[in-house]
Amino acid sequence: MRNKIVAGNWKMNKDLTGTEALLEELSAKLPDTNAKVMVSPTFVNLANAVQKLKDSKIEVIAQNMHFAENGAYTGEISANMLLNIGINTVIIGHSERRAYFGETDEILSKKVKAALANNMQVMFCFGEELEDRKSGNHFNLVESQLKNALFDLDLAAWPNIILAYEPVWAIGTGETASPEQAQEMHAFIRKTIAEAFDTDIAENVSILYGGSVKPGNAEEIFSKPDVDGGLIGGASLVADDFIAIVKAI
Ligand code: PGA
């Protein structure tokens, strides 16, 4: 049985005071759920968030990491630094990292391997741009993103992988993939993983949808059989909205 997951990607939002306030509200309002609930504050507030949530079921995850163990990489953070403060899961490949920080499939492949080598769980993000969808190239593009970063992994790595399909045209735009579009792509992703690895791995990997998930559309998107949860940006910054999305799963 694969995990249901709702994760909040706070991006570069919330200072320390805002982080603490949002975490307190989320902890207080978290419903009883079998789903895994995760939040990802900005780097400087991660250690504090872990402390704040030590008695909560909400997991704190990181938005990014470098692939090197340590060294002369000004401004970067390593897997070990995350593990050391109690972070076991890292988002890799978010489209904003790809678009604004030049992260290529090759770099992402190194990051995925570094995280796995450190026994971390990876939430790997990928998804097509609007032009890809308009030209009918979205399946090819998604397949190549998966192939370039994940297809040379060992079978044993897969229990530590979560996939997050995030069509770039739906991120922060208010435009969402329809539940049918999400299901169609998620089924394609599962089939692609089954062909490259095996059906067991494909059946057990959680595939999240991300891109303008809101309280009003979450339930319908999550009701699709191959959608195992969501990676939530904007709506994860408002406690009542994020909690409503958690309830929707
Ligand atoms: P959004 O962001 O929910 O604000 O569209 C999703 C994401 O970037 O993960």
Side-chain angles (χ1 to χ4, degrees):
M1 265 290 282
R2 47 192 188 249
N3 292 318
K4 299 271 183 201
I5 299 167
V6 178
N9 174 9
W10 294 8
K11 309 189 180 183
M12 197 175 72
N13 293 295
K14 302 284 177 192
D15 59 12
L16 178 57
T17 315
T19 298
E20 290 189 336
L22 182 51
L23 292 177
E24 250 163 54
E25 204 179 342
L26 290 174
S27 303
K29 293 180 173 171
L30 187 74
D32 210 12
T33 172
N34 292 329
K36 294 192 172 202
V37 180
M38 304 173 174
V39 292
S40 192
T42 185
F43 276 131
V44 289
N45 294 321
L46 285 178
N48 193 273
V50 170
Q51 286 309 312
K52 194 106 197 144
L53 293 181
K54 64 180 186 312
D55 299 322
S56 161
K57 284 166 83 180
I58 303 175
E59 185 188 350
V60 181
I61 71 174
Q63 298 176 19
N64 180 33
M65 59 168 253
H66 197 271
F67 52 77
E69 286 296 312
N70 49 55
Y73 298 98
T74 301
E76 292 292 334
I77 281 106
S78 72
N80 185 52
M81 291 169 190
L82 294 173
L83 288 166
N84 202 238
I85 57 164
I87 306 279
N88 298 301
T89 302
V90 58
I91 300 172
I92 290 177
H94 191 279
S95 62
E96 287 149 18
R97 299 295 317 171
R98 295 174 189 258
Y100 307 146
F101 302 98
E103 296 197 1
T104 59
D105 286 353
E106 195 190 346
I107 292 172
L108 298 175
S109 164
K110 287 190 193 173
K111 290 189 174 201
V112 169
K113 290 196 180 74
L116 294 171
N118 280 282
N119 292 319
M120 291 188 78
Q121 177 167 246
V122 171
M123 185 179 289
F124 183 72
C125 303
F126 54 95
E128 81 281 1
E129 311 255 353
L130 187 57
E131 305 86 78
D132 302 308
R133 186 160 277 269
K134 278 188 175 155
S135 64
N137 192 39
H138 45 302
F139 293 115
N140 282 341
L141 195 276
V142 161
E143 186 172 358
S144 79
Q145 288 174 322
L146 291 172
K147 186 169 172 220
N148 294 340
L150 305 180
F151 278 15
D152 61 348
L153 295 180
D154 293 338
L155 291 182
W158 280 87
N160 286 323
I161 303 275
I162 300 163
L163 299 177
Y165 167 60
E166 299 206 303
V168 178
W169 48 272
I171 295 178
T173 58
E175 195 165 333
T176 335
S178 67
E180 292 68 32
Q181 284 173 321
Q183 169 55 27
E184 183 187 37
M185 183 58 90
H186 283 223
F188 171 78
I189 293 161
R190 217 177 284 290
K191 179 169 101 13
T192 304
I193 302 296
E195 285 165 6
F197 291 90
D198 68 35
T199 37
D200 240 33
I201 282 172
E203 282 308 314
N204 285 304
V205 67
S206 296
I207 310 178
L208 315 186
Y209 168 79
S212 299
V213 177
K214 306 275 181 244
N217 60 24
E219 197 169 335
E220 210 188 341
I221 295 171
F222 294 163
S223 72
K224 294 297 175 190
D226 286 296
V227 178
D228 304 309
L231 179 53
I232 321 300
S236 72
L237 297 169
V238 179
D240 286 338
D241 287 358
F242 189 64
I243 293 297
I245 294 169
V246 172
K247 286 182 180 157
I249 205 153

